[in-house]
């Protein structure tokens, strides 16, 4: 059984979620089954349509499952009971998917945001990841990756912002940023 590693794509620069989706495409083309759970997000990002597209191709490709586990991208730091409940339920669900051993690659998009907004307990997440089925490759994305998560990861990439058009007031554009 091949060893699976834990990746983290964090930092303020652009490219965390798209890097994870790029890796997902590569894995699917190599016949691997990929699960993507998106924490916090509920908006219809363009990439969630990939599931429909990819599951129509021939069986030499792996399969893809994308689920949204949040109910909104509230980054104002206000903790809402519903948000906490959704994140916790989402994490329990992800761990069940992990135990099913169906997935070769699992991506937990914006998990670090759920952690930094205190919707999930870091110690619980770290403990669950440490006792996981170790052949599954895990990719975690999002700003503000906590040190305890970095400590157990095998690859950590900091997407450093050198420039971002967001600072010029250019918000998310369909097909490029969302
Ligand atoms: P991508 O999905 O393009 O790979 P990402 O995953 O690296 O990006 P996120 O941290 O998830 O980026 O940010 C998502 C959105 O936040 C972007 O669409 C962008 O418009 C917006 N954004 C970018 N920089 C900032 C900022 N400094 N503060 C708040 N929002 C920002
Ligand atoms: Mg992202």
């Amino acid at each position: 059984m091949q060893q699976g590693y834990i990746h983290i794509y964090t930092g303020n620069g652009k490219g965390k979620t798209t890097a994870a989706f790029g890796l997902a495409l590569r894995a699917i083309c190599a016949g691997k089954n990929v699960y993507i759970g998106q924490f916090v997000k509920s908006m219809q990002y363009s990439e969630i349509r990939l599931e429909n597209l990819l599951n129509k191709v021939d069986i030499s490709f792996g399969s893809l499952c994308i689920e949204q586990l949040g109910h909104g991208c509230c980054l104002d730091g206000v903790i809402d009971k519903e948000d906490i409940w959704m994140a916790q339920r989402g994490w329990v669900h992800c761990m069940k998917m992990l135990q099913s051993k169906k997935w070769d690659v699992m991506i937990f998009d914006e998990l670090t945001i759920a952690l930094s907004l205190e919707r999930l307990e870091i110690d619980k997440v770290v403990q669950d990841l440490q006792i996981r089925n170790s052949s599954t490759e895990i990719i975690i994305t999002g700003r503000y990756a906590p040190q305890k998560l970095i400590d157990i990861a095998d690859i950590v990439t900091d997407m450093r912002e050198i420039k971002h058009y967001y600072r010029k007031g250019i918000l998310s554009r369909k097909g490029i940023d969302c």
Side-chain angles (χ1 to χ4, degrees), residues 11-19 41 45 47 75 109-110 113 141-143 159 161 164-167 170-173 176-178:
N12 290 337
K14 177 172 167 65
K16 301 172 290 293
T17 297
T18 46
K41 290 174 174 171
Y45 285 78
E47 58 265 28
L75 290 169
D109 189 33
E110 315 301 349
I113 299 294
T141 82
R143 294 161 195 233
M159 305 287 185
E161 179 189 319
H164 197 303
Y165 44 51
Y166 177 83
R167 296 195 186 278
I170 299 163
L171 302 179
S172 289
R173 291 172 304 145
I176 306 293
D177 305 296
C178 63

PDB file of all heavy atoms in Angstrom, residues 11-19 41 45 47 75 109-110 113 141-143 159 161 164-167 170-173 176-178, ligand 1:
ATOM      1  N   GLY A  11      -1.518  30.676   3.083  1.00  0.00           N
ATOM      2  CA  GLY A  11      -0.974  31.999   2.731  1.00  0.00           C
ATOM      3  C   GLY A  11      -2.023  32.903   2.116  1.00  0.00           C
ATOM      4  O   GLY A  11      -3.135  32.476   1.787  1.00  0.00           O
ATOM      5  N   ASN A  12      -1.665  34.174   1.960  1.00  0.00           N
ATOM      6  CA  ASN A  12      -2.613  35.180   1.468  1.00  0.00           C
ATOM      7  C   ASN A  12      -2.645  35.316  -0.048  1.00  0.00           C
ATOM      8  O   ASN A  12      -3.504  35.997  -0.590  1.00  0.00           O
ATOM      9  CB  ASN A  12      -2.274  36.550   2.062  1.00  0.00           C
ATOM     10  CG  ASN A  12      -2.585  36.607   3.539  1.00  0.00           C
ATOM     11  OD1 ASN A  12      -3.417  35.841   4.030  1.00  0.00           O
ATOM     12  ND2 ASN A  12      -1.901  37.476   4.258  1.00  0.00           N
ATOM     13  N   GLY A  13      -1.671  34.727  -0.735  1.00  0.00           N
ATOM     14  CA  GLY A  13      -1.626  34.855  -2.193  1.00  0.00           C
ATOM     15  C   GLY A  13      -2.638  33.956  -2.881  1.00  0.00           C
ATOM     16  O   GLY A  13      -3.162  33.011  -2.280  1.00  0.00           O
ATOM     17  N   LYS A  14      -2.895  34.263  -4.143  1.00  0.00           N
ATOM     18  CA  LYS A  14      -3.859  33.467  -4.925  1.00  0.00           C
ATOM     19  C   LYS A  14      -3.252  32.129  -5.316  1.00  0.00           C
ATOM     20  O   LYS A  14      -2.054  32.047  -5.607  1.00  0.00           O
ATOM     21  CB  LYS A  14      -4.230  34.241  -6.197  1.00  0.00           C
ATOM     22  CG  LYS A  14      -5.172  33.480  -7.138  1.00  0.00           C
ATOM     23  CD  LYS A  14      -5.638  34.357  -8.263  1.00  0.00           C
ATOM     24  CE  LYS A  14      -6.306  33.563  -9.384  1.00  0.00           C
ATOM     25  NZ  LYS A  14      -7.563  32.908  -8.949  1.00  0.00           N
ATOM     26  N   GLY A  15      -4.094  31.094  -5.366  1.00  0.00           N
ATOM     27  CA  GLY A  15      -3.648  29.820  -5.931  1.00  0.00           C
ATOM     28  C   GLY A  15      -3.848  28.596  -5.069  1.00  0.00           C
ATOM     29  O   GLY A  15      -3.520  27.487  -5.490  1.00  0.00           O
ATOM     30  N   LYS A  16      -4.414  28.754  -3.874  1.00  0.00           N
ATOM     31  CA  LYS A  16      -4.536  27.604  -2.973  1.00  0.00           C
ATOM     32  C   LYS A  16      -5.597  26.610  -3.462  1.00  0.00           C
ATOM     33  O   LYS A  16      -5.308  25.432  -3.663  1.00  0.00           O
ATOM     34  CB  LYS A  16      -4.869  28.096  -1.553  1.00  0.00           C
ATOM     35  CG  LYS A  16      -3.804  29.045  -1.003  1.00  0.00           C
ATOM     36  CD  LYS A  16      -4.201  29.697   0.300  1.00  0.00           C
ATOM     37  CE  LYS A  16      -5.302  30.724   0.205  1.00  0.00           C
ATOM     38  NZ  LYS A  16      -4.942  31.941  -0.545  1.00  0.00           N
ATOM     39  N   THR A  17      -6.804  27.117  -3.647  1.00  0.00           N
ATOM     40  CA  THR A  17      -7.873  26.218  -4.096  1.00  0.00           C
ATOM     41  C   THR A  17      -7.598  25.717  -5.510  1.00  0.00           C
ATOM     42  O   THR A  17      -7.786  24.529  -5.803  1.00  0.00           O
ATOM     43  CB  THR A  17      -9.241  26.939  -4.024  1.00  0.00           C
ATOM     44  OG1 THR A  17      -9.492  27.258  -2.646  1.00  0.00           O
ATOM     45  CG2 THR A  17     -10.365  26.079  -4.549  1.00  0.00           C
ATOM     46  N   THR A  18      -7.122  26.604  -6.371  1.00  0.00           N
ATOM     47  CA  THR A  18      -6.879  26.166  -7.760  1.00  0.00           C
ATOM     48  C   THR A  18      -5.740  25.145  -7.825  1.00  0.00           C
ATOM     49  O   THR A  18      -5.783  24.231  -8.651  1.00  0.00           O
ATOM     50  CB  THR A  18      -6.621  27.361  -8.693  1.00  0.00           C
ATOM     51  OG1 THR A  18      -5.707  28.245  -8.075  1.00  0.00           O
ATOM     52  CG2 THR A  18      -7.890  28.095  -9.026  1.00  0.00           C
ATOM     53  N   ALA A  19      -4.737  25.259  -6.968  1.00  0.00           N
ATOM     54  CA  ALA A  19      -3.664  24.244  -6.935  1.00  0.00           C
ATOM     55  C   ALA A  19      -4.247  22.894  -6.533  1.00  0.00           C
ATOM     56  O   ALA A  19      -3.903  21.857  -7.101  1.00  0.00           O
ATOM     57  CB  ALA A  19      -2.565  24.656  -5.970  1.00  0.00           C
ATOM     58  N   LYS A  41     -17.605  27.489   2.398  1.00  0.00           N
ATOM     59  CA  LYS A  41     -18.223  27.959   1.142  1.00  0.00           C
ATOM     60  C   LYS A  41     -19.611  27.368   0.911  1.00  0.00           C
ATOM     61  O   LYS A  41     -19.833  26.191   1.167  1.00  0.00           O
ATOM     62  CB  LYS A  41     -17.360  27.523  -0.045  1.00  0.00           C
ATOM     63  CG  LYS A  41     -16.044  28.237  -0.161  1.00  0.00           C
ATOM     64  CD  LYS A  41     -15.218  27.624  -1.278  1.00  0.00           C
ATOM     65  CE  LYS A  41     -13.954  28.408  -1.520  1.00  0.00           C
ATOM     66  NZ  LYS A  41     -13.042  27.720  -2.435  1.00  0.00           N
ATOM     67  N   TYR A  45     -19.293  28.011  -6.845  1.00  0.00           N
ATOM     68  CA  TYR A  45     -18.023  28.239  -7.551  1.00  0.00           C
ATOM     69  C   TYR A  45     -18.042  27.415  -8.836  1.00  0.00           C
ATOM     70  O   TYR A  45     -18.585  26.304  -8.868  1.00  0.00           O
ATOM     71  CB  TYR A  45     -16.839  27.806  -6.670  1.00  0.00           C
ATOM     72  CG  TYR A  45     -16.565  28.788  -5.562  1.00  0.00           C
ATOM     73  CD1 TYR A  45     -17.356  28.824  -4.423  1.00  0.00           C
ATOM     74  CD2 TYR A  45     -15.525  29.706  -5.672  1.00  0.00           C
ATOM     75  CE1 TYR A  45     -17.127  29.745  -3.412  1.00  0.00           C
ATOM     76  CE2 TYR A  45     -15.284  30.627  -4.666  1.00  0.00           C
ATOM     77  CZ  TYR A  45     -16.089  30.639  -3.548  1.00  0.00           C
ATOM     78  OH  TYR A  45     -15.860  31.552  -2.551  1.00  0.00           O
ATOM     79  N   GLU A  47     -15.933  25.640 -10.307  1.00  0.00           N
ATOM     80  CA  GLU A  47     -15.271  24.333 -10.311  1.00  0.00           C
ATOM     81  C   GLU A  47     -16.148  23.188  -9.814  1.00  0.00           C
ATOM     82  O   GLU A  47     -15.840  22.027 -10.092  1.00  0.00           O
ATOM     83  CB  GLU A  47     -13.968  24.393  -9.502  1.00  0.00           C
ATOM     84  CG  GLU A  47     -14.094  24.829  -8.053  1.00  0.00           C
ATOM     85  CD  GLU A  47     -13.847  26.328  -7.848  1.00  0.00           C
ATOM     86  OE1 GLU A  47     -14.095  27.118  -8.784  1.00  0.00           O
ATOM     87  OE2 GLU A  47     -13.410  26.703  -6.744  1.00  0.00           O
ATOM     88  N   LEU A  75     -16.419  35.996   6.713  1.00  0.00           N
ATOM     89  CA  LEU A  75     -15.062  36.112   7.236  1.00  0.00           C
ATOM     90  C   LEU A  75     -14.965  37.225   8.273  1.00  0.00           C
ATOM     91  O   LEU A  75     -13.898  37.699   8.592  1.00  0.00           O
ATOM     92  CB  LEU A  75     -14.077  36.367   6.088  1.00  0.00           C
ATOM     93  CG  LEU A  75     -13.865  35.181   5.155  1.00  0.00           C
ATOM     94  CD1 LEU A  75     -13.098  35.601   3.921  1.00  0.00           C
ATOM     95  CD2 LEU A  75     -13.155  34.038   5.834  1.00  0.00           C
ATOM     96  N   ASP A 109     -11.015  21.713   1.289  1.00  0.00           N
ATOM     97  CA  ASP A 109     -10.823  23.092   0.848  1.00  0.00           C
ATOM     98  C   ASP A 109     -11.335  24.049   1.924  1.00  0.00           C
ATOM     99  O   ASP A 109     -12.445  23.868   2.436  1.00  0.00           O
ATOM    100  CB  ASP A 109     -11.599  23.266  -0.467  1.00  0.00           C
ATOM    101  CG  ASP A 109     -11.335  24.585  -1.163  1.00  0.00           C
ATOM    102  OD1 ASP A 109     -10.209  25.106  -1.076  1.00  0.00           O
ATOM    103  OD2 ASP A 109     -12.269  25.094  -1.825  1.00  0.00           O
ATOM    104  N   GLU A 110     -10.549  25.053   2.244  1.00  0.00           N
ATOM    105  CA  GLU A 110     -10.873  26.077   3.253  1.00  0.00           C
ATOM    106  C   GLU A 110     -11.070  25.483   4.662  1.00  0.00           C
ATOM    107  O   GLU A 110     -11.695  26.124   5.512  1.00  0.00           O
ATOM    108  CB  GLU A 110     -12.099  26.933   2.870  1.00  0.00           C
ATOM    109  CG  GLU A 110     -12.155  27.438   1.433  1.00  0.00           C
ATOM    110  CD  GLU A 110     -10.992  28.320   0.983  1.00  0.00           C
ATOM    111  OE1 GLU A 110     -10.202  28.741   1.839  1.00  0.00           O
ATOM    112  OE2 GLU A 110     -10.876  28.572  -0.234  1.00  0.00           O
ATOM    113  N   ILE A 113      -9.855  27.821   7.290  1.00  0.00           N
ATOM    114  CA  ILE A 113     -10.749  28.951   7.618  1.00  0.00           C
ATOM    115  C   ILE A 113     -11.730  28.502   8.702  1.00  0.00           C
ATOM    116  O   ILE A 113     -11.954  29.216   9.682  1.00  0.00           O
ATOM    117  CB  ILE A 113     -11.501  29.461   6.353  1.00  0.00           C
ATOM    118  CG1 ILE A 113     -10.520  29.970   5.290  1.00  0.00           C
ATOM    119  CG2 ILE A 113     -12.522  30.543   6.704  1.00  0.00           C
ATOM    120  CD1 ILE A 113      -9.745  31.214   5.680  1.00  0.00           C
ATOM    121  N   THR A 141      -6.523  23.219   2.205  1.00  0.00           N
ATOM    122  CA  THR A 141      -6.242  24.567   1.698  1.00  0.00           C
ATOM    123  C   THR A 141      -6.841  25.619   2.621  1.00  0.00           C
ATOM    124  O   THR A 141      -7.752  25.339   3.395  1.00  0.00           O
ATOM    125  CB  THR A 141      -6.813  24.815   0.285  1.00  0.00           C
ATOM    126  OG1 THR A 141      -8.198  25.148   0.412  1.00  0.00           O
ATOM    127  CG2 THR A 141      -6.648  23.620  -0.629  1.00  0.00           C
ATOM    128  N   GLY A 142      -6.348  26.831   2.442  1.00  0.00           N
ATOM    129  CA  GLY A 142      -6.924  27.991   3.123  1.00  0.00           C
ATOM    130  C   GLY A 142      -5.886  28.827   3.843  1.00  0.00           C
ATOM    131  O   GLY A 142      -4.807  28.359   4.182  1.00  0.00           O
ATOM    132  N   ARG A 143      -6.263  30.086   4.041  1.00  0.00           N
ATOM    133  CA  ARG A 143      -5.388  31.010   4.784  1.00  0.00           C
ATOM    134  C   ARG A 143      -5.266  30.577   6.238  1.00  0.00           C
ATOM    135  O   ARG A 143      -6.119  29.853   6.736  1.00  0.00           O
ATOM    136  CB  ARG A 143      -6.000  32.411   4.775  1.00  0.00           C
ATOM    137  CG  ARG A 143      -6.030  33.018   3.405  1.00  0.00           C
ATOM    138  CD  ARG A 143      -7.028  34.155   3.349  1.00  0.00           C
ATOM    139  NE  ARG A 143      -7.256  34.432   1.937  1.00  0.00           N
ATOM    140  CZ  ARG A 143      -7.132  35.616   1.386  1.00  0.00           C
ATOM    141  NH1 ARG A 143      -6.849  36.668   2.125  1.00  0.00           N
ATOM    142  NH2 ARG A 143      -7.333  35.763   0.096  1.00  0.00           N
ATOM    143  N   MET A 159       1.455  30.351  -0.176  1.00  0.00           N
ATOM    144  CA  MET A 159       1.202  31.181  -1.359  1.00  0.00           C
ATOM    145  C   MET A 159       1.346  32.638  -0.902  1.00  0.00           C
ATOM    146  O   MET A 159       0.443  33.168  -0.255  1.00  0.00           O
ATOM    147  CB  MET A 159      -0.214  30.961  -1.904  1.00  0.00           C
ATOM    148  CG  MET A 159      -0.550  29.529  -2.205  1.00  0.00           C
ATOM    149  SD  MET A 159       0.288  28.969  -3.680  1.00  0.00           S
ATOM    150  CE  MET A 159      -0.425  27.342  -3.859  1.00  0.00           C
ATOM    151  N   GLU A 161       1.474  36.557  -1.137  1.00  0.00           N
ATOM    152  CA  GLU A 161       0.942  37.608  -2.011  1.00  0.00           C
ATOM    153  C   GLU A 161       2.031  38.631  -2.285  1.00  0.00           C
ATOM    154  O   GLU A 161       2.564  39.253  -1.360  1.00  0.00           O
ATOM    155  CB  GLU A 161      -0.253  38.289  -1.335  1.00  0.00           C
ATOM    156  CG  GLU A 161      -0.826  39.403  -2.180  1.00  0.00           C
ATOM    157  CD  GLU A 161      -1.868  40.239  -1.449  1.00  0.00           C
ATOM    158  OE1 GLU A 161      -2.696  39.680  -0.715  1.00  0.00           O
ATOM    159  OE2 GLU A 161      -1.839  41.465  -1.620  1.00  0.00           O
ATOM    160  N   HIS A 164      -2.006  41.586  -5.591  1.00  0.00           N
ATOM    161  CA  HIS A 164      -3.322  40.982  -5.851  1.00  0.00           C
ATOM    162  C   HIS A 164      -4.255  42.099  -6.292  1.00  0.00           C
ATOM    163  O   HIS A 164      -4.342  43.122  -5.611  1.00  0.00           O
ATOM    164  CB  HIS A 164      -3.867  40.287  -4.598  1.00  0.00           C
ATOM    165  CG  HIS A 164      -4.980  39.317  -4.903  1.00  0.00           C
ATOM    166  ND1 HIS A 164      -6.127  39.692  -5.557  1.00  0.00           N
ATOM    167  CD2 HIS A 164      -5.104  37.992  -4.676  1.00  0.00           C
ATOM    168  CE1 HIS A 164      -6.917  38.637  -5.717  1.00  0.00           C
ATOM    169  NE2 HIS A 164      -6.318  37.590  -5.190  1.00  0.00           N
ATOM    170  N   TYR A 165      -4.953  41.871  -7.399  1.00  0.00           N
ATOM    171  CA  TYR A 165      -5.839  42.929  -7.916  1.00  0.00           C
ATOM    172  C   TYR A 165      -7.007  43.222  -6.972  1.00  0.00           C
ATOM    173  O   TYR A 165      -7.680  44.229  -7.122  1.00  0.00           O
ATOM    174  CB  TYR A 165      -6.319  42.643  -9.342  1.00  0.00           C
ATOM    175  CG  TYR A 165      -6.768  41.233  -9.657  1.00  0.00           C
ATOM    176  CD1 TYR A 165      -7.689  40.548  -8.885  1.00  0.00           C
ATOM    177  CD2 TYR A 165      -6.287  40.595 -10.809  1.00  0.00           C
ATOM    178  CE1 TYR A 165      -8.095  39.275  -9.205  1.00  0.00           C
ATOM    179  CE2 TYR A 165      -6.689  39.313 -11.145  1.00  0.00           C
ATOM    180  CZ  TYR A 165      -7.601  38.653 -10.333  1.00  0.00           C
ATOM    181  OH  TYR A 165      -8.011  37.389 -10.659  1.00  0.00           O
ATOM    182  N   TYR A 166      -7.223  42.313  -5.998  1.00  0.00           N
ATOM    183  CA  TYR A 166      -8.216  42.565  -4.961  1.00  0.00           C
ATOM    184  C   TYR A 166      -7.957  43.928  -4.308  1.00  0.00           C
ATOM    185  O   TYR A 166      -8.885  44.667  -3.988  1.00  0.00           O
ATOM    186  CB  TYR A 166      -8.118  41.450  -3.913  1.00  0.00           C
ATOM    187  CG  TYR A 166      -9.041  41.623  -2.745  1.00  0.00           C
ATOM    188  CD1 TYR A 166     -10.379  41.223  -2.810  1.00  0.00           C
ATOM    189  CD2 TYR A 166      -8.582  42.205  -1.564  1.00  0.00           C
ATOM    190  CE1 TYR A 166     -11.224  41.401  -1.736  1.00  0.00           C
ATOM    191  CE2 TYR A 166      -9.430  42.383  -0.488  1.00  0.00           C
ATOM    192  CZ  TYR A 166     -10.748  41.984  -0.587  1.00  0.00           C
ATOM    193  OH  TYR A 166     -11.583  42.167   0.481  1.00  0.00           O
ATOM    194  N   ARG A 167      -6.671  44.259  -4.150  1.00  0.00           N
ATOM    195  CA  ARG A 167      -6.303  45.524  -3.488  1.00  0.00           C
ATOM    196  C   ARG A 167      -6.655  46.744  -4.341  1.00  0.00           C
ATOM    197  O   ARG A 167      -6.698  47.855  -3.850  1.00  0.00           O
ATOM    198  CB  ARG A 167      -4.808  45.526  -3.140  1.00  0.00           C
ATOM    199  CG  ARG A 167      -4.492  44.441  -2.142  1.00  0.00           C
ATOM    200  CD  ARG A 167      -3.160  44.585  -1.490  1.00  0.00           C
ATOM    201  NE  ARG A 167      -2.910  43.413  -0.647  1.00  0.00           N
ATOM    202  CZ  ARG A 167      -3.392  43.255   0.587  1.00  0.00           C
ATOM    203  NH1 ARG A 167      -4.105  44.206   1.151  1.00  0.00           N
ATOM    204  NH2 ARG A 167      -3.138  42.145   1.265  1.00  0.00           N
ATOM    205  N   ILE A 170     -10.676  44.974  -7.430  1.00  0.00           N
ATOM    206  CA  ILE A 170     -11.191  43.989  -8.395  1.00  0.00           C
ATOM    207  C   ILE A 170     -11.589  42.729  -7.627  1.00  0.00           C
ATOM    208  O   ILE A 170     -10.738  42.038  -7.064  1.00  0.00           O
ATOM    209  CB  ILE A 170     -10.143  43.693  -9.495  1.00  0.00           C
ATOM    210  CG1 ILE A 170      -9.838  44.983 -10.245  1.00  0.00           C
ATOM    211  CG2 ILE A 170     -10.643  42.599 -10.443  1.00  0.00           C
ATOM    212  CD1 ILE A 170      -8.586  44.972 -11.064  1.00  0.00           C
ATOM    213  N   LEU A 171     -12.900  42.487  -7.581  1.00  0.00           N
ATOM    214  CA  LEU A 171     -13.416  41.371  -6.788  1.00  0.00           C
ATOM    215  C   LEU A 171     -13.420  40.089  -7.625  1.00  0.00           C
ATOM    216  O   LEU A 171     -13.004  40.097  -8.787  1.00  0.00           O
ATOM    217  CB  LEU A 171     -14.808  41.721  -6.269  1.00  0.00           C
ATOM    218  CG  LEU A 171     -14.851  42.997  -5.405  1.00  0.00           C
ATOM    219  CD1 LEU A 171     -16.279  43.288  -4.956  1.00  0.00           C
ATOM    220  CD2 LEU A 171     -13.924  42.899  -4.194  1.00  0.00           C
ATOM    221  N   SER A 172     -13.855  39.011  -7.020  1.00  0.00           N
ATOM    222  CA  SER A 172     -13.833  37.691  -7.672  1.00  0.00           C
ATOM    223  C   SER A 172     -14.496  37.716  -9.042  1.00  0.00           C
ATOM    224  O   SER A 172     -15.628  38.184  -9.168  1.00  0.00           O
ATOM    225  CB  SER A 172     -14.579  36.693  -6.796  1.00  0.00           C
ATOM    226  OG  SER A 172     -13.834  36.430  -5.659  1.00  0.00           O
ATOM    227  N   ARG A 173     -13.773  37.208 -10.045  1.00  0.00           N
ATOM    228  CA  ARG A 173     -14.331  37.139 -11.394  1.00  0.00           C
ATOM    229  C   ARG A 173     -14.655  35.692 -11.737  1.00  0.00           C
ATOM    230  O   ARG A 173     -13.835  34.794 -11.512  1.00  0.00           O
ATOM    231  CB  ARG A 173     -13.353  37.740 -12.405  1.00  0.00           C
ATOM    232  CG  ARG A 173     -13.236  39.261 -12.222  1.00  0.00           C
ATOM    233  CD  ARG A 173     -12.144  39.843 -13.073  1.00  0.00           C
ATOM    234  NE  ARG A 173     -10.886  39.197 -12.798  1.00  0.00           N
ATOM    235  CZ  ARG A 173      -9.947  38.967 -13.730  1.00  0.00           C
ATOM    236  NH1 ARG A 173     -10.153  39.355 -14.954  1.00  0.00           N
ATOM    237  NH2 ARG A 173      -8.830  38.375 -13.399  1.00  0.00           N
ATOM    238  N   ILE A 176     -12.275  32.774 -13.110  1.00  0.00           N
ATOM    239  CA  ILE A 176     -10.870  33.088 -12.794  1.00  0.00           C
ATOM    240  C   ILE A 176     -10.638  32.950 -11.287  1.00  0.00           C
ATOM    241  O   ILE A 176      -9.691  32.305 -10.857  1.00  0.00           O
ATOM    242  CB  ILE A 176     -10.496  34.541 -13.224  1.00  0.00           C
ATOM    243  CG1 ILE A 176     -10.837  34.783 -14.710  1.00  0.00           C
ATOM    244  CG2 ILE A 176      -9.024  34.853 -12.918  1.00  0.00           C
ATOM    245  CD1 ILE A 176     -10.013  33.987 -15.704  1.00  0.00           C
ATOM    246  N   ASP A 177     -11.529  33.533 -10.522  1.00  0.00           N
ATOM    247  CA  ASP A 177     -11.380  33.496  -9.062  1.00  0.00           C
ATOM    248  C   ASP A 177     -12.491  32.689  -8.376  1.00  0.00           C
ATOM    249  O   ASP A 177     -12.389  32.371  -7.199  1.00  0.00           O
ATOM    250  CB  ASP A 177     -11.430  34.924  -8.483  1.00  0.00           C
ATOM    251  CG  ASP A 177     -10.388  35.828  -9.143  1.00  0.00           C
ATOM    252  OD1 ASP A 177      -9.191  35.548  -8.970  1.00  0.00           O
ATOM    253  OD2 ASP A 177     -10.777  36.787  -9.841  1.00  0.00           O
ATOM    254  N   CYS A 178     -13.566  32.441  -9.103  1.00  0.00           N
ATOM    255  CA  CYS A 178     -14.673  31.697  -8.496  1.00  0.00           C
ATOM    256  C   CYS A 178     -15.492  30.984  -9.566  1.00  0.00           C
ATOM    257  O   CYS A 178     -15.227  31.141 -10.758  1.00  0.00           O
ATOM    258  CB  CYS A 178     -15.583  32.638  -7.694  1.00  0.00           C
ATOM    259  SG  CYS A 178     -16.388  33.893  -8.670  1.00  0.00           S
TER     260      CYS A 178
HETATM  261  P1  LIG B   1      -8.029  30.511  -5.890  1.00  0.00           P
HETATM  262  O1  LIG B   1      -9.407  29.906  -5.591  1.00  0.00           O
HETATM  263  O2  LIG B   1      -8.099  31.484  -6.996  1.00  0.00           O
HETATM  264  O3  LIG B   1      -6.960  29.493  -6.002  1.00  0.00           O
HETATM  265  P2  LIG B   1      -7.272  30.975  -3.166  1.00  0.00           P
HETATM  266  O4  LIG B   1      -7.895  29.677  -2.804  1.00  0.00           O
HETATM  267  O5  LIG B   1      -5.788  31.058  -3.022  1.00  0.00           O
HETATM  268  O6  LIG B   1      -7.670  31.396  -4.626  1.00  0.00           O
HETATM  269  P3  LIG B   1      -8.824  32.291  -1.074  1.00  0.00           P
HETATM  270  O7  LIG B   1      -8.022  32.610   0.127  1.00  0.00           O
HETATM  271  O8  LIG B   1      -9.722  31.088  -0.996  1.00  0.00           O
HETATM  272  O9  LIG B   1      -7.879  32.172  -2.344  1.00  0.00           O
HETATM  273  O10 LIG B   1      -9.613  33.613  -1.468  1.00  0.00           O
HETATM  274  C1  LIG B   1     -10.787  33.582  -2.232  1.00  0.00           C
HETATM  275  C2  LIG B   1     -11.252  34.948  -2.630  1.00  0.00           C
HETATM  276  O11 LIG B   1     -10.891  35.973  -1.692  1.00  0.00           O
HETATM  277  C3  LIG B   1     -10.667  35.393  -3.945  1.00  0.00           C
HETATM  278  O12 LIG B   1     -11.645  35.208  -4.915  1.00  0.00           O
HETATM  279  C4  LIG B   1     -10.330  36.869  -3.810  1.00  0.00           C
HETATM  280  O13 LIG B   1     -11.104  37.685  -4.641  1.00  0.00           O
HETATM  281  C5  LIG B   1     -10.623  37.205  -2.384  1.00  0.00           C
HETATM  282  N1  LIG B   1      -9.454  37.861  -1.786  1.00  0.00           N
HETATM  283  C6  LIG B   1      -8.205  37.907  -2.263  1.00  0.00           C
HETATM  284  N2  LIG B   1      -7.371  38.578  -1.488  1.00  0.00           N
HETATM  285  C7  LIG B   1      -8.109  38.989  -0.444  1.00  0.00           C
HETATM  286  C8  LIG B   1      -7.821  39.727   0.739  1.00  0.00           C
HETATM  287  N3  LIG B   1      -6.604  40.208   0.993  1.00  0.00           N
HETATM  288  N4  LIG B   1      -8.820  39.905   1.624  1.00  0.00           N
HETATM  289  C9  LIG B   1     -10.048  39.427   1.394  1.00  0.00           C
HETATM  290  N5  LIG B   1     -10.393  38.724   0.285  1.00  0.00           N
HETATM  291  C10 LIG B   1      -9.443  38.520  -0.623  1.00  0.00           C
END
